[in-house]
Amino acid sequence: MKLIRFINSSGRTVPGIHREDGSRIDVSAFGEDYNEAFFGSDGPARLARWLETHAAECPMVGPDVRLAPPCARPSKIICVGMNYAAHAEETGARPPSEPVIFMKATTAISGPNDPIVLPRDSTKTDWEVELALVIGKRASYVTEDEAMDCVAGYVLHNDVSERAFQMERGGQWVKGKSADTFAPLGPWIATPDEIGDPHRLRLWLKLNGETVQDSNTSDFIFNIPTCISYISRFMTLLPGDVISTGTPSGVGLGMKPNRYLKVGDVVELGIDGLGTSRQEVKAYQATA
């Protein structure tokens, strides 16, 4: 099943389903949003059973609706850094001996086709296509053997990063990762049965039509069970939490000379089975 959320004609964000034939239906009659309570109570399976008898009653969703982030705001976004050997090499870093983790503010979440807004004083905003996963049950000190049972689904993520904030302003990476619009998610969350082996997925990103990232999750340094188990030693993972598993080579920071996003640029990205997203880069504008 592929879970979407979209903005309806009343301006409300409501849940839906992206079906195999490409059509979309509104499942707001199910009565639940895709949030912690939904994922923590076996929501995808309950929704699938509900659809067996109610799908025909669900309104169709037009192809031109604005897609929202496919999950309601989670309690946290945890990211794994330097998880592809080629990416570590291009940034001049030594491959880590254990997972590098950092946080990304949940206020950074935006829809898959919403613009990336350059924050005030930004000079080095970068792109990062990533496979992210959504946690489906409370997890603390889980073993690697138990870890995959904690996955509710997978989602495409652009881990937008302001490198000057991240690396030149002192402190932790979170400062360069958390501006509004810096976490486009979607278009959908795919349940594990839709994906097969998440360690064999092609992921790519284009900047203004030019392919700059093209890799495969088979190049992970630390696989998904390792990442989930490791993170759960340091914090409790809640249903709906997002873990982003790192980006491959091809980011602007690794180019010689460096190349960063500017107003008017268009970023397109995708992962096998998880669809594509598109973000236009816009300038920050202060609100009254």
Side-chain angles (χ1 to χ4, degrees):
M1 196 159 48
K2 296 173 180 174
L3 309 176
I4 63 169
R5 295 167 76 242
F6 64 96
I7 312 300
N8 70 7
S9 58
S10 300
R12 293 178 52 243
T13 301
V14 296
I17 295 292
H18 183 98
R19 301 196 292 193
E20 189 172 352
D21 64 1
S23 65
R24 301 165 175 167
I25 56 173
D26 180 336
V27 297
S28 53
F30 181 65
E32 299 179 40
D33 200 356
Y34 301 149
N35 54 21
E36 180 179 341
F38 173 81
F39 288 111
S41 58
D42 204 17
R46 290 188 297 104
L47 177 56
R49 290 193 295 270
W50 182 85
L51 284 169
E52 290 175 2
T53 53
H54 293 84
E57 306 162 13
C58 294
M60 299 296 294
V61 177
D64 56 345
V65 298
R66 176 187 165 200
L67 292 177
C71 55
R73 188 182 297 171
S75 81
K76 51 189 171 290
I77 305 171
I78 312 100
C79 299
V80 181
M82 301 298 176
N83 200 26
Y84 290 76
H87 175 53
E89 181 180 354
E90 73 174 347
T91 59
R94 184 174 300 175
S97 58
E98 57 186 275
V100 174
I101 59 175
F102 60 91
M103 307 296 287
K104 192 174 182 91
T106 58
T107 48
I109 294 175
S110 59
N113 301 312
D114 291 344
I116 294 169
V117 178
L118 297 178
R120 185 184 294 173
D121 302 323
S122 168
T123 59
K124 298 180 179 179
T125 294
D126 206 347
W127 56 85
E128 296 189 34
V129 60
E130 303 201 4
L131 171 67
L133 59 94
V134 178
I135 294 294
K137 62 175 69 173
R138 187 182 180 95
S140 179
Y141 296 104
V142 297
T143 67
E144 292 187 22
D145 288 341
E146 300 166 329
M148 295 303 281
D149 290 336
C150 299
V151 178
Y154 300 94
V155 62
L156 173 64
H157 175 215
N158 187 357
D159 177 23
V160 185
S161 308
E162 214 299 337
R163 302 300 191 185
F165 296 178
Q166 176 187 353
M167 307 173 76
E168 300 170 19
R169 299 290 294 272
Q172 299 182 342
W173 288 4
V174 66
K175 288 190 293 189
K177 300 284 186 172
S178 296
D180 292 352
T181 75
F182 270 27
L185 292 175
W188 56 69
I189 296 169
T191 51
D193 59 292
E194 294 272 356
I195 293 302
D197 184 358
H199 301 100
R200 290 288 185 274
L201 300 177
R202 179 183 175 232
L203 66 172
W204 54 268
L205 183 145
K206 295 180 180 180
L207 177 62
N208 300 326
E210 174 192 353
T211 299
V212 291
Q213 292 187 278
D214 193 349
S215 188
N216 194 287
T217 56
S218 60
D219 196 39
F220 279 153
I221 297 173
F222 303 105
N223 65 18
I224 291 170
T226 298
C227 291
I228 294 172
S229 176
Y230 183 85
I231 293 168
S232 77
R233 301 178 203 173
F234 301 98
M235 65 193 80
T236 296
L237 297 168
L238 297 179
D241 282 354
V242 173
I243 296 176
S244 201
T245 59
T247 197
S249 60
V251 300
L253 176 65
M255 294 181 175
K256 294 181 175 54
N258 297 151
R259 183 176 176 185
Y260 296 114
L261 295 174
K262 61 185 184 299
V263 173
D265 283 346
V266 174
V267 178
E268 299 168 279
L269 55 151
I271 300 179
D272 289 347
L274 296 178
T276 62
S277 67
R278 179 186 185 277
Q279 299 98 42
E280 183 178 350
V281 180
K282 295 190 175 182
Y284 173 84
Q285 291 184 331
T287 55

